[in-house]
Amino acid sequence: MIKHILTPSFVLFSCFVIGGMLFRSYAPRSCGEILPNDSIFVLTGDERRIPFAIRKMNEYPNADLYIIGAGANGIETGRPAIIESRSKSTYQNALAIKKIATERNLDRLVIITTEDHMNRAKYLIQSELPETQIITCPAILTEMPPTKRLERWATEYIKYIVTMIGIKES
């Protein structure tokens, strides 16, 4: 009986589901400690990220703000911000952040993105800047139907797996 249940496809599916649960559980649910003079990098791509970052910036008026990613042009922040709008993927975001961090000799970064995107974003940025301290500050997915939220988490989990096997442009 057990032999019939433990087929390779069942084992793979079980590993995938358990891995997805772990992926979700390891995603940060709140901001790490932001210091008054930190450099805050916001990854574009979801309409929740920029307003969330602006609210955070109101709490930290001396922090430097960087908006990274396609679609960043024309965003009103109400304060000075460096905008990089050429990168079109999370990996390209990581490369853009690396360039800025290296040019400005930054050894500590705060990353703002949505909670479902944070694990992969942090992994890619940390792989480009291994000596840099990365502080996560996730925008929580709210006011979204559970099925849409599940779809987003599943998509990010699959992208994370693909990234872990070495395909960074996913």
Side-chain angles (χ1 to χ4, degrees):
M1 173 73 171
I2 296 266
K3 186 177 181 182
H4 295 290
I5 294 173
L6 295 178
T7 63
S9 57
F10 177 78
V11 171
L12 282 174
F13 178 74
S14 297
C15 289
F16 180 79
V17 169
I18 292 168
M21 291 167 41
L22 290 170
F23 175 78
R24 170 78 166 84
S25 71
Y26 284 120
R29 299 281 302 158
S30 61
C31 287
E33 182 182 7
I34 300 175
L35 302 177
N37 293 317
D38 267 334
S39 297
I40 299 178
F41 289 81
V42 185
L43 304 177
T44 62
D46 181 276
E47 67 275 359
R48 291 164 192 77
R49 298 173 188 174
I50 302 297
F52 178 80
I54 300 303
R55 288 191 301 275
K56 281 292 167 196
M57 295 308 294
N58 290 335
E59 297 174 35
Y60 304 95
N62 295 325
D64 293 324
L65 176 61
Y66 301 87
I67 300 175
I68 308 296
N73 283 333
I75 292 174
E76 283 299 319
T77 63
R79 60 171 296 148
I82 307 274
I83 297 177
E84 183 285 329
S85 61
R86 288 184 307 261
S87 57
K88 293 176 177 42
S89 69
T90 305
Y91 178 60
Q92 290 175 12
N93 292 164
L95 295 175
I97 291 169
K98 177 183 181 179
K99 183 177 187 279
I100 293 167
T102 302
E103 288 172 355
R104 296 176 186 257
N105 200 30
L106 302 175
D107 59 0
R108 179 183 159 92
L109 312 173
V110 176
I111 302 301
I112 293 179
T113 189
T114 48
E115 62 180 327
D116 59 328
H117 185 240
M118 187 61 77
N119 287 338
R120 188 167 61 94
K122 182 180 179 189
Y123 176 83
L124 287 166
I125 295 164
Q126 195 75 74
S127 70
E128 294 300 320
L129 294 164
E131 303 299 317
T132 302
Q133 183 180 9
I134 308 292
I135 309 303
T136 58
C137 189
I140 304 302
L141 298 172
T142 57
E143 300 175 16
M144 181 182 288
T147 54
K148 179 68 175 168
R149 200 175 5 238
L150 179 61
E151 178 186 321
R152 284 181 58 132
W153 277 102
T155 300
E156 282 301 325
Y157 175 50
I158 292 167
K159 287 180 177 183
Y160 185 78
I161 290 170
V162 169
T163 300
M164 296 297 286
I165 62 172
I167 302 170
K168 295 181 178 182
E169 285 284 354
S170 59

